[in-house]
Amino acid sequence: MVPPGPPGPPPQGGQAQGGRAQGGRAQGNPAEGSEDGATADVDGTEDLIEAEGPDVEVSTDAPPANDLSPEDEALLADAATGIAEDRLSPSDRDLVGEMRTDMLRAQAELVNFRKRVERDRDANREAVIAEVVRALLPALDDLNRAESHGDLAEGPMQVIAQKLRSGFDKFKLVQIGEKGETFDPNVHEAIVQLPTPGATGQTVADVVEPGYKLGDRVLRAAKVAVAVPA
């Protein structure tokens, strides 16, 4: 066993044992803890390693981009449905086909029901308007007779007649029955027949009371005198 030697000389130049003095600052203090929990022994700036390349921040909050169009998504959905049906048994596949047929039939019935409801609503509206206008036809007849006698030339009744007729025009009320036209039992009501020499058919000889039509609906047939062959 070798005996220990004599103690060495004290540190020179004011250096502290266990560290080096540089620029009046001790460098022997332990460095801060590293990421793995161990203590990094860094003596100077020359021991630091510069990272290569710029720092890049990666965001994980952005949603993934969806480049599929609605048509492509529909094709994928159809393909997935076809694959799922291929895995079914023949009995289950027939059941799926029947359910799809029932669904299409129900959709067609719903569309037809909506169209029928809209058509019935329009028909009911036209029927109500026709009943209201038909109830006002006697007043319109009185105005026409008063006008033919010259009673509406001046005064407030002329203004009332104009407003009433303009209101009827909004609902497309049309007067029917003209002298000289061919007799039509759908729009004419013959109250008298007049044998006329030279007549080759039934024509309207005179209009006793005009008729009215609202759209394609005849509210009142025209009362006429019909000229017939003698």
Side-chain angles (χ1 to χ4, degrees):
M1 180 176 184
V2 181
Q12 300 295 327
Q15 292 180 353
Q17 187 175 1
R20 287 179 297 181
Q22 183 177 0
R25 184 173 58 183
Q27 300 294 329
N29 294 333
E32 296 180 356
S34 60
E35 294 180 356
D36 57 356
T39 302
D41 188 6
V42 179
D43 294 337
T45 57
E46 64 274 6
D47 295 335
L48 299 178
I49 300 175
E50 183 178 1
E52 296 181 358
D55 296 337
V56 179
E57 296 183 359
V58 180
S59 176
T60 59
D61 297 335
N66 186 7
D67 297 334
L68 295 178
S69 62
E71 293 78 6
D72 295 338
E73 294 180 356
L75 291 176
L76 290 177
D78 294 340
T81 303
I83 294 174
E85 291 183 358
D86 292 340
R87 297 178 180 177
L88 297 176
S89 62
S91 59
D92 293 339
R93 195 176 304 165
D94 294 339
L95 180 60
V96 171
E98 293 178 359
M99 295 177 63
R100 182 181 290 110
T101 302
D102 294 340
M103 181 186 65
L104 295 176
R105 184 182 299 109
Q107 289 179 349
E109 292 178 355
L110 179 59
V111 171
N112 294 332
F113 174 75
R114 289 179 176 175
K115 292 181 179 179
R116 185 167 58 253
V117 169
E118 293 177 358
R119 185 171 58 253
D120 294 342
R121 184 186 297 114
D122 295 339
N124 292 334
R125 177 178 177 273
E126 293 177 358
V128 172
I129 295 175
E131 290 298 325
V132 174
V133 174
R134 185 181 289 112
L136 297 176
L137 290 181
L140 186 59
D141 293 335
D142 294 339
L143 291 176
N144 292 334
R145 283 190 289 266
E147 185 178 14
S148 63
H149 289 84
D151 296 336
L152 298 182
E154 296 179 358
M157 291 301 298
Q158 184 180 6
V159 178
I160 295 175
Q162 292 177 354
K163 291 182 178 179
L164 186 60
R165 288 170 178 169
S166 62
F168 287 145
D169 292 339
K170 291 182 180 179
F171 296 106
K172 298 180 181 180
L173 182 66
V174 179
Q175 180 176 332
I176 56 177
E178 294 291 339
K179 184 177 179 180
E181 63 185 5
T182 304
F183 176 78
D184 185 358
N186 295 320
V187 296
H188 299 145
E189 180 183 353
I191 60 176
V192 63
Q193 291 184 352
L194 302 176
T196 304
T200 58
Q202 297 181 349
T203 57
V204 176
D206 191 14
V207 178
V208 180
E209 184 180 64
Y212 292 95
K213 183 170 63 173
L214 189 65
D216 296 333
R217 186 192 301 267
V218 178
L219 300 182
R220 188 180 70 185
K223 296 179 180 180
V224 297
V226 182
V228 297

